[in-house]
Amino acid sequence: QVQLVESGGGLVQAGGSLRLSCAASGITFSINTMAWYRQAPGKQREWVARLTGSGSPNYADSAKGRFTISRDNAKNTLFLQMNGLKTEDTAVYYCNTFPRPAGAWGQGTQVTVSS
């Protein structure tokens, strides 16, 4: 059974930073491309950043130059370092496999950026 547990969100002022973590179980983490997604109020969930098992990253335009995705395959953990946060980054952030989510989504972690 796939289990994804996101953490690290919070309230931060514009320009600030947060580091999100995602603990994964029930999947062969090291071989999967993992991604961070987010869903803002009233909007569809969107992909933000992804990272192959071998460490090749790719970012949505909104995240380029500000966010850094990384992973610790030994600990089945995915990270997202977010710098230069903007109010438009406010959303619930989720992790999952890419391109197709594996099983149910986790509860996500709320990121709120104030102006």
Side-chain angles (χ1 to χ4, degrees), residues 37-75:
Y37 302 79
R38 68 186 182 188
Q39 187 167 19
K43 295 187 177 181
Q44 288 193 334
R45 186 175 286 151
E46 63 178 358
W47 159 75
V48 175
R50 67 178 187 255
L51 185 63
T52 67
S54 59
S56 295
N58 208 326
Y59 298 93
D61 287 344
S62 59
K64 285 179 181 176
R66 300 187 300 125
F67 294 1
T68 302
I69 189 171
S70 61
R71 64 194 295 162
D72 183 339
N73 286 338
K75 296 182 178 180

Side-chain angles (χ1 to χ4, degrees), residues 65-95:
R66 300 187 300 125
F67 294 1
T68 302
I69 189 171
S70 61
R71 64 194 295 162
D72 183 339
N73 286 338
K75 296 182 178 180
N76 287 6
T77 304
L78 185 71
F79 303 100
L80 185 68
Q81 178 67 44
M82 304 188 296
N83 299 327
L85 283 162
K86 305 176 181 180
T87 56
E88 53 263 44
D89 294 319
T90 294
V92 179
Y93 285 71
Y94 304 87
C95 68

Side-chain angles (χ1 to χ4, degrees), residues 8-20:
L11 173 63
V12 63
Q13 287 190 329
S17 299
L18 285 172
R19 188 184 193 224
L20 307 183

